[in-house]
Amino acid sequence: MDENEKEGVRVDKDHELILEAQRRFEWCAGWESDARKLFMDDLKFANADSDNGYQWPLDLRKSREIDARPCLTINKTRQHNLEIINEMKQSRPGVNVRAVGGGATYESAQMLGGLIRYIEYQSKATAAYNTAIEFQVNAGLGYLRVVTDYAGDNTFDQEIYIRRIVDPLTIYMDPESKELDRSDARFAFVFDEIEKDEFDEKYPEYEGIGGQSALGVDGGWVTSDSIRVCEYFRKVEAKDQLIYAEMPGQEPQPGQPPMPKQPPVIVLASTLPKEVLDAVLAVPETRTRDVTTSKIEWYFIIGSEVVETKDWIGNYIPLVPVIGEETIIEGQLDRKGHTRSMKDPQRIYNYWTSSAVEFIALQGKTPWVAPVEAIEGYEDYWKTANTINHAFLPYKGMGGDGKPIAPPQKPQPPQMAQGYLQGMAVARDELAMVSGQYAPQMGDGDNARTGIALHARQRKGDVATYHYTENFGIALQHLGRVIIDLIPKIYDTKRVLRVIAEDGTDLEVEIDPAAKQALMVKLNQDQRVAARILNPGVGKYEVEVQSGPNYGTKRQEAFMALTQIITQQPNLTAIIGDILLRAGDFPLADEAAERLKRMVPPQALGQGPTQAEQMLQTQMQSLQQALSTTMDQLATAKLKLKAKDQQRTVQAYDAETARIKVLADDMNPAALDLLIKQVVQEAIDLRLGPVVEASEPALRQAKAGGLPPKQMLLPLMGGQ
């Protein structure tokens, strides 16, 4: 096929695509036409004020202005809506990631959750969320969008961003999608207005077709100052085969044990080269089944020309609607927010207020009533009596006939008619009834004083409007699902990212698509975390949304609760004081908490022995003390027995030494020496060894000093 034929094929495909897009757009426009008109009416009504007068029907407002009649706008609807909007902003649901298999772990899911929070931070997603919430509550429909773009001008790495949709009416989605979050949508359109000069500069080659109506559809698509362009997403499905193939083990080397059998492989047939596919299908153990795969295609359309086309990398159309209330009655779509039900009560209130003001204004300033004769000659004073603050108002008290004239009188000033006041009160009550937000929820005082009563009052108002929070949570869950699907495809190269933990702290994680595990943690010599390595392509994950206060609100509530606990139990400061300071939102709170933590008992930090271990230690100490007491008692008893034996032996020894003392005077030294040796030997035999050993140095000293035999025996006799 030559170049001309290829060009002709491309032109034919583009023409078919334009026809398909035009047909689908007309379908969307017809399906949503009434809902979009009401959307704009509700949006204007919610943002009405005294200048734009959106809460008054146009013809009625013009007629009242022509007649110079009051046409006031006291917009109570706005405050009712803001109660819901601001509460949702303060307690916006958070995205959590849960591991569901395939090698995913709790820790890797936490890292992916932190990565989503990082994407929200760098995208300034708070503005996108707030805008979607405002449209949802005011008019029934907001949108969020996910895009990808380069991380900078000097890199090929891409990032994921959450974008703000400033006009939900620029988006159309598949009318046949059944899910509230439109996760099953088959196509979608995104329109944008580009100023003409900017368009000519950005797309000079399309200057001629830029003046055509986009997709060939009339109706203001091209204005005198701007050109409308179109992005067209569509899901394309294709038939494929899923193959389950057993992998043979490698042939063992000579002298080596057989290699283990490889795990089976599950792949799509479209991903394999033909020769490989044929070889796999030829194996008898191979199993196959027919499946349907899909991909998302993206087209950029100007006028009736396809300017750019590419495949969207994700599995979902990256547009997420945030719906207030959606109903289909008799085949007619309707979307609405909190404004719709308050329109009539609000109009009633504006009417009664304007009528009350008109009633007073028509009465004017109260004139004086006086006889003509009384003010004759003083007419200039009385003509300006209601406009000038005169020091006095003269009048004639007597007539020409000498008779008194009645003085001028000031009638009762005009008063507000009770009917108007009652009408305004009824309108206020009806606003509360249709919104479910009564006076306490709107900031008015009531008799609720206890914590339980205040909580019950708040819960009553929250229940009446909770479906807005719930629907936003559904949208946020799908947004997280879109991002989780994109993460392994966008972060597919080695790089280091910062993720944000739930408490707002930063963590550094290394993305490594070649890692074998979902998350690996490397420790340094001090057993501290040196690196976290995340492979987002390993494992399966699901997204869940946790409704309720965000982390900042929970932190404030924790600080207040801990403060109350410590106030009532000051002795707990040493146990939980560091936690209280860590929950505080003031400078140096973290440093103060770290210092106080060093003084917390180890058992409170889980670092000392547990309660069971402490009980065992106490029992062991008691047993040791009992054993020591028993040993002391046994030693004492043994000493007593030994003392009795030695006492008997000493008595025998004393008798022997007494005999020697009698014989010593008549014996010569040689005989005495022989007798002493005999006594010593007997002492040894009688177990008096310790006595002899203790006395031996004294005997040697006495003998060396030439003492008489009797004196030499003194050490053996105890010094006697």
Side-chain angles (χ1 to χ4, degrees), residues 18-39:
I18 291 295
L19 292 178
E20 175 190 281
Q22 179 180 348
R23 183 179 67 255
R24 285 180 165 180
F25 170 74
E26 290 176 349
W27 181 21
C28 290
W31 172 249
E32 296 191 4
S33 59
D34 291 339
R36 286 174 174 258
K37 290 178 183 178
L38 292 173
F39 173 96

Side-chain angles (χ1 to χ4, degrees), residues 158-173:
Q158 288 197 333
E159 297 279 1
I160 301 172
Y161 299 95
I162 301 169
R163 292 301 186 213
R164 174 173 173 252
I165 301 298
V166 296
D167 185 1
L169 295 185
T170 60
I171 296 177
Y172 292 80
M173 296 194 75

